[in-house]
C-alpha cells in the first residue's frame, strides 16, 4: 500500500488551496492513504481545515515556536522524521514547496520529481520541461521513497467532506539555528489571489509605467479578477514581483486570462497554458499571444481598456 | 569573504524553439545554440559584484557537462570569474547527482558562498541549490532578489509567492538567484581574449567519487497538447458579446 504524506502550506490561519490540489494529485494514486503534515507555531485551525478535506485519512500537527515561519532548513529534518513510514512525500509547486522539498529529498538521499502534471502510476508521472515545451514521463524506483512537488495548476482542489483524525506529535529533532527569519513584505491582499482566482487580468511592457498599470487594477476590480504581469512589466517596476506569470513566475489556471500588451513569449505562455479561455489584446496582429488566444482583439490597449470597462459597467 | 563558487550550467539558449524528437527520446539538440543558463549569469554577476565591492574574493565557476561546456565556462571567465572547473561527463546529470558533485567540489574549495541559479531552463527542476545546502548541512536562501553581506552573515531578500521575505543566514551558505537580483554585464572583446589565459581545470565525476548513474528513468518525451485556434474579434463590443456568450462575464 502507498502511504502519501502531504506537507501543508498555510499562513498560520488558513490552509493554502495548493494543499487541497496536492490531495487530488495524491488521490490519483490508487490505493494511496493520505496524511497531511501541518507544521507551525499553533496549527489547530489549519489542521482542522486539512482534516475536512475529502480523501484525507489523517492529519499530524507539529507545533513548536521555531515553526512559526516556514524555513526550509528547519522544516526539512522534521518532514524527514514524519516521512519514516511513508512511501511518498508531496508538497506544492509553490515558492514554499519548491524551497522545502528538494532539501527533504536530499536529506533522504533520494531524487525529487518536480511539478507532477499527471499521475500515470504510483511511481510514474508526467512533468513539464523546457518551459512546458517538452513533457517527460518519468519513472521512479518503487524501492525508494518518492519525493515530488505537485504542479498545482494541473489539479482541482479536493472538495470538503472529509473527516480525518488529527494527532499532535512532538519530534525529537534538533533544528539548525544558522537560518533566521527576519521579515516579509506582502503585496495588497484585498485583491483576489493570483494563483486561485477564476479571472486574471495581466499586463505587459506595453503599459509603460506603474501609473498606467493602474488601468488594469480598475478593470480587474470590475471583473472581480486578480492582476498578473509579464516579466518585462515586473522588471520595469510597473508591477510587483509576486504578480509575475510564467516559467519562472506563477503557473496559473483561471477560467479566463486576459493578456493586455503582452507579446506571448514562451516563458510567459507556459504560465497560462491551463487557462480555460485566453483573451489577448495587442496592437500587433502578429504577436505570438494570438496563436494561443481563444479570443483576440488587435488594437491600442489605451483605447480598448477604458471602452471595455465602460461596456462592463452597463 | 575569500572565495565564492558559482555553478554554471550549459543549456539550450532561451530563444530556441524547442522541438521534441519524433521517437520521443528527448528534444532535438543537434546544431542548437547553447548558452549559460540565464539564472547562472545572474548568479555569477552577483559574485563578481561582491568581489568588486572590495572583498576581492576569488570567484570560481564550476560546471558539470560535456566537453563543449568549456565554451560556457570561458564566457564565465570573460565575465570576470578567476578560474573555472569543468566536471566532464557525457551523461545527463540529475539535480541530486549535480548536488553531490558540487558538494565534493565545495569540500575541496571551501567557499564562503555558493551561488546557483534558481532553476535550469532545460529541466526546470529547481532543486540543485536546495539539495547542495542539505548535503553540505548549510543554510539555503533561494530565489534571492537582494543579498547583503555582514561579516559572517548574509541577509537575503527572497521572491516568494506572497511578495518578498527576508532571512538571515550564517556563512558558508548556498544562495540561489532570481531574475531581479541584478542585470548581468555584457562581455567585452578584450575580456574574451584575457579569459583564454585564465585557468580552466577539467576533472571527472569519478575523480570526485560521485556516480553519474540516473535514479529516475525518462520513459518518453512528447510535445505539449496544442490549444485550439481561437477567434479574432473586430472591436470591444464584439469582444464583450463573445465573452457573454461563453458565460465569462
Ligand atoms: C530565464 C528567463 C525566464 C523568464 N521568465 C519569464 C516569466 O516567468 N514570465 C514572463 O512573462 N516572461 C519571462 N521571461 C521573459 C520573456 O522572454 C519576455 O521577455 C517577456 O515575457 C516579455 O514581456 P512582454 O510581453 O510584456 O513585453 P514585450 O515582449 O515587449 O511585448 C509587449 C507587447 O505589447 C504590445 N503593445 C505595445 N504597445 C501596445 C498598445 N498600446 N496596445 C496594445 N498592445 C501594445 C506589443 O505589440 C508587444 O506584443 C523570461 C526570460 C528568461 C530569459
Ligand atoms: N550540470 C550542471 N552544471 C552546472 N550547474 C548546474 C548543473 N545542474 C544544475 N546546476 C546549477 O543548479 C541550478 C538549478 O538547476 P536545477 O535544479 O536543475 O533547476 C542551475 O541554475 C545551476 O546553477
Amino acid at each position: 500500500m502507498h502511504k502519501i504524506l502531504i506537507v501543508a502550506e498555510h499562513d498560520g490561519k488558513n490552509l493554502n488551496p495548493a494543499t487541497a490540489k496536492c490531495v487530488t494529485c495524491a488521490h490519483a494514486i490508487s490505493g494511496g492513504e493520505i496524511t497531511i503534515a501541518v507544521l507551525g507555531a499553533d496549527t489547530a485551525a489549519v489542521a482542522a481545515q486539512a482534516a475536512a478535506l475529502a480523501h484525507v485519512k489523517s492529519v499530524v500537527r507539529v507545533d513548536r515556536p521555531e515553526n512559526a515561519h516556514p524555513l526550509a532548513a528547519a522544516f526539512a529534518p522534521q518532514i524527514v522524521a514524519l516521512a519514516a513510514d511513508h512511501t511518498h512525500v508531496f508538497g506544492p509547486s509553490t515558492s514554499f514547496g519548491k524551497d522545502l522539498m528538494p532539501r527533504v529529498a536530499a536529506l533522504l538521499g533520494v531524487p525529487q520529481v518536480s511539478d507532477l502534471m499527471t499521475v500515470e502510476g504510483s511511481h510514474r508521472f508526467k512533468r513539464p520541461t523546457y518551459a512546458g515545451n517538452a513533457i517527460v514521463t518519468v519513472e521512479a524506483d518503487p524501492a525508494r521513497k518518492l519525493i515530488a512537488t505537485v504542479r498545482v495548476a494541473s489539479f482541482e482542489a479536493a472538495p470538503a467532506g472529509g473527516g480525518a483524525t488529527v494527532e499532535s506529535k512532538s519530534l525529537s529533532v534538533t533544528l539548525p539555528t544558522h537560518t533566521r527569519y527576519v521579515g516579509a513584505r506582502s503585496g495588497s491582499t484585498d485583491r483576489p489571489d493570483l494563483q486561485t482566482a477564476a479571472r486574471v487580468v495581466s499586463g505587459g511592457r506595453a503599459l509603460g509605467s506603474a501609473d498606467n498599470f493602474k488601468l488594469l487594477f480598475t478593470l480587474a476590480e470590475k471583473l472581480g479578477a486578480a492582476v498578473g504581469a509579464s516579466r518585462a512589466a515586473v522588471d520595469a517596476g510597473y508591477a510587483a514581483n509576486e504578480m509575475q506569470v510564467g516559467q519562472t513566475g506563477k503557473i496559473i489556471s483561471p477560467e479566463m486570462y486576459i493578456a493586455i500588451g503582452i507579446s506571448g513569449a514562451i516563458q510567459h505562455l507556459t504560465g497560462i497554458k491551463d487557462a480555460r479561455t485566453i483573451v489577448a489584446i495587442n496592437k500587433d496582429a502578429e504577436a505570438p499571444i494570438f496563436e494561443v488566444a481563444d479570443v483576440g482583439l488587435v488594437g491600442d490597449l489605451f483605447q480598448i481598456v477604458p471602452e471595455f470597462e465602460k461596456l462592463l459597467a452597463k | 569573504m575569500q572565495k565564492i563558487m558559482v555553478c554554471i550550467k550549459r543549456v539550450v539558449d532561451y530563444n530556441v524553439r524547442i522541438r521534441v524528437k519524433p521517437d520521443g527520446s528527448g528534444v532535438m539538440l543537434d546544431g542548437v545554440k547553447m548558452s549559460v543558463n540565464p539564472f547562472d549569469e545572474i548568479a555569477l554577476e552577483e559574485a563578481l559584484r561582491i568581489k568588486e565591492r572590495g572583498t576581492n574574493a576569488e570567484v570560481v565557476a564550476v560546471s558539470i557537462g560535456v566537453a563543449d561546456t568549456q565554451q560556457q565556462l570561458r564566457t564565465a571567465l570573460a565575465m570576470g570569474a578567476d578560474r573555472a572547473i569543468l566536471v566532464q561527463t557525457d551523461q545527463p546529470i540529475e539535480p541530486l547527482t549535480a548536488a553531490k558533485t558540487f558538494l565534493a567540489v565545495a569540500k575541496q574549495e571551501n567557499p564562503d558562498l555558493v551561488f546557483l541559479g534558481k532553476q535550469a531552463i532545460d529541466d526546470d527542476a529547481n532543486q540543485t541549490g536546495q539539495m547542495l545546502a542539505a548535503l553540505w548541512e548549510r543554510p539555503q536562501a533561494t530565489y534571492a532578489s537582494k543579498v547583503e553581506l555582514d561579516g559572517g552573515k548574509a541577509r537575503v531578500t527572497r521572491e516568494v509567492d506572497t511578495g518578498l521575505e527576508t532571512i538571515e543566514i550564517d556563512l558558508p551558505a548556498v544562495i540561489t538567484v532570481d531574475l531581479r537580483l541584478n542585470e548581468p554585464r555584457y562581455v567585452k572583446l578584450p575580456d574574451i581574449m584575457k579569459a583564454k589565459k585564465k585557468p580552466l581545470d577539467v576533472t571527472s565525476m569519478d575523480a570526485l567519487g560521485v556516480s553519474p548513474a540516473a535514479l529516475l528513468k525518462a520513459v518518453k518525451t512528447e510535445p505539449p497538447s496544442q490549444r485550439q485556434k481561437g477567434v479574432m474579434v473586430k472591436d470591444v463590443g464584439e469582444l464583450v458579446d463573445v465573452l457573454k456568450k461563453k458565460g465569462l462575464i
Side-chain angles (χ1 to χ4, degrees):
Chain A
M1 199 186 39
H2 307 296
K3 297 186 74 177
I4 305 160
L5 184 71
I6 294 172
V7 185
E9 175 167 0
H10 63 90
D11 61 6
K13 292 190 196 82
N14 293 303
L15 190 65
N16 188 299
T19 305
K21 295 182 173 198
C22 291
V23 169
T24 301
C25 175
H27 185 60
I29 294 176
S30 58
E33 186 183 291
I34 301 173
T35 301
I36 296 184
V38 188
L39 278 62
D42 173 9
T43 62
V46 174
Q49 294 163 33
L53 293 174
H55 321 307
V56 180
K57 175 114 191 302
S58 57
V59 173
V60 290
R61 295 173 55 186
V62 184
D63 288 20
R64 58 196 283 181
E66 301 95 316
N67 287 348
H69 301 287
L71 296 170
F75 271 34
Q78 299 178 73
I79 301 300
V80 168
L82 292 173
D85 51 358
H86 288 84
T87 54
H88 298 60
V89 187
F90 286 0
S93 247
T94 55
S95 59
F96 163 77
K98 290 182 200 173
D99 180 44
L100 171 63
M101 300 308 287
R103 190 157 183 126
V104 173
L107 291 180
L108 290 165
V110 298
Q112 171 180 302
V113 184
S114 295
D115 305 316
L116 306 187
M117 298 173 74
T118 57
V119 173
E120 310 272 302
S122 67
H123 291 77
R124 192 175 162 124
F125 308 92
K126 285 191 182 173
R127 67 169 300 261
T129 63
Y130 291 95
N133 290 297
I135 311 299
V136 183
T137 304
V138 291
E139 212 168 71
D141 179 359
R144 296 168 188 267
K145 243 186 250 305
L146 189 123
I147 312 302
T149 58
V150 174
R151 184 177 181 274
V152 288
S154 298
F155 298 90
E156 303 277 340
T165 56
V166 179
E167 179 200 358
S168 286
K169 263 196 187 162
S170 60
L171 305 170
S172 55
V173 176
T174 327
L175 302 184
T177 54
H178 54 46
T179 306
R180 297 167 293 274
Y181 176 84
V182 177
R185 178 208 55 72
S186 53
S188 120
T189 44
D190 48 351
R191 247 176 271 129
D193 174 51
L194 181 55
Q195 253 154 334
T196 47
R199 297 164 174 185
V200 174
V201 172
S202 206
R205 193 196 310 271
L207 270 298
S209 70
D211 233 26
N212 289 342
F213 210 88
K214 290 188 191 136
L215 271 178
L216 302 193
F217 290 121
T218 334
L219 176 64
E221 210 168 300
K222 290 246 158 67
L223 287 163
V227 181
S230 72
R231 173 190 173 181
V234 176
D235 283 0
Y238 309 160
N241 68 279
E242 66 270 22
M243 290 162 64
Q244 182 177 315
V245 172
Q247 179 187 18
T248 54
K250 286 178 180 157
I251 311 276
I252 57 174
S253 53
E255 293 290 317
M256 174 164 71
Y257 184 78
I258 308 183
I260 301 177
I262 292 178
S263 61
I266 48 169
Q267 293 88 2
H268 187 79
L269 298 184
T270 189
I272 59 170
K273 275 198 180 123
D274 294 291
R276 194 72 57 83
T277 299
I278 297 175
V279 180
I281 297 169
N282 195 303
K283 71 172 183 194
D284 174 11
E286 304 294 316
I289 188 79
F290 289 123
E291 285 165 35
V292 300
D294 300 283
V295 189
L297 174 55
V298 178
D300 181 0
L301 77 92
F302 294 105
Q303 280 168 10
I304 292 171
V305 172
E307 214 180 307
F308 190 24
E309 241 174 71
K310 237 183 259 160
L311 288 180
L312 284 173
K314 281 191 190 153
Chain B
M1 182 65 44
Q2 306 216 311
K3 199 185 281 186
I4 306 174
M5 175 171 147
V6 185
C7 302
I8 301 286
K9 190 175 185 185
R10 169 186 166 94
V11 297
V12 174
D13 188 84
Y14 79 97
N15 272 316
V16 170
R17 226 173 228 270
I18 298 299
R19 281 180 305 153
V20 171
K21 286 188 197 161
D23 67 359
S25 64
V27 304
M28 297 205 208
L29 296 176
D30 288 347
V32 162
K33 183 179 178 205
M34 304 297 285
S35 299
V36 173
N37 184 42
F39 288 99
D40 303 354
E41 283 183 353
I42 298 171
L44 176 57
E45 177 66 35
E46 196 63 17
L48 296 174
R49 289 186 189 186
I50 292 171
K51 174 192 174 83
E52 290 159 3
R53 240 182 268 143
T55 60
N56 213 26
E58 182 183 32
V59 176
V60 185
V62 186
S63 191
I64 312 165
V66 296
D68 281 345
T69 306
Q70 291 203 19
Q71 294 161 4
Q72 281 66 42
L73 286 173
R74 287 289 168 204
T75 303
L77 292 169
M79 272 179 75
D82 296 296
R83 61 190 172 87
I85 301 171
L86 171 60
V87 184
Q88 194 175 317
T89 173
D90 289 331
Q91 308 260 103
I93 295 300
E94 290 172 354
L96 181 62
T97 310
K100 287 178 182 166
T101 308
F102 292 138
L103 174 70
V105 176
K107 289 211 159 138
Q108 290 177 357
E109 296 284 339
N110 291 309
D112 303 287
L113 271 175
V114 182
F115 278 110
L116 301 89
K118 86 160 172 182
Q119 80 195 60
I121 60 162
D122 50 3
D123 65 17
D124 280 335
N126 198 328
Q127 299 176 9
T128 309
Q130 298 88 311
M131 288 180 157
L132 170 62
L135 300 175
W136 200 19
E137 297 177 54
R138 294 306 310 164
Q140 70 188 49
T142 51
Y143 325 139
S145 67
K146 192 172 179 194
V147 176
E148 298 159 286
L149 297 177
D150 172 17
K153 292 180 293 205
R155 229 172 216 249
V156 181
T157 302
R158 311 176 51 231
E159 292 202 3
V160 294
D161 289 347
T162 48
L164 296 171
E165 179 192 90
T166 304
I167 60 173
E168 187 182 77
I169 52 177
D170 295 336
L171 304 187
V174 174
I175 298 179
T176 81
V177 308
D178 216 317
L179 295 170
R180 254 79 56 184
L181 180 59
N182 61 48
E183 212 171 304
R185 66 196 64 188
Y186 284 104
V187 172
K188 294 188 271 325
L189 196 62
D191 299 328
I192 297 175
M193 300 312 291
K194 252 192 272 168
K196 288 191 177 145
K197 291 194 206 92
K198 290 184 178 175
L200 193 166
D201 293 328
V202 180
T203 179
S204 66
M205 311 270 301
D206 204 31
L208 293 167
V210 181
S211 158
L215 299 167
L216 296 169
K217 195 166 126 200
V219 181
K220 70 166 183 231
T221 304
E222 59 199 311
S225 53
Q226 295 298 323
R227 290 184 76 98
Q228 300 279 345
K229 183 104 188 101
V231 295
M232 296 301 288
V233 294
K234 61 174 196 313
D235 56 29
V236 182
E238 205 182 317
L239 173 66
V240 169
D241 288 344
V242 172
L243 296 182
K244 277 197 178 136
K245 243 179 247 149
K246 286 178 177 269
L248 289 165
I249 54 175

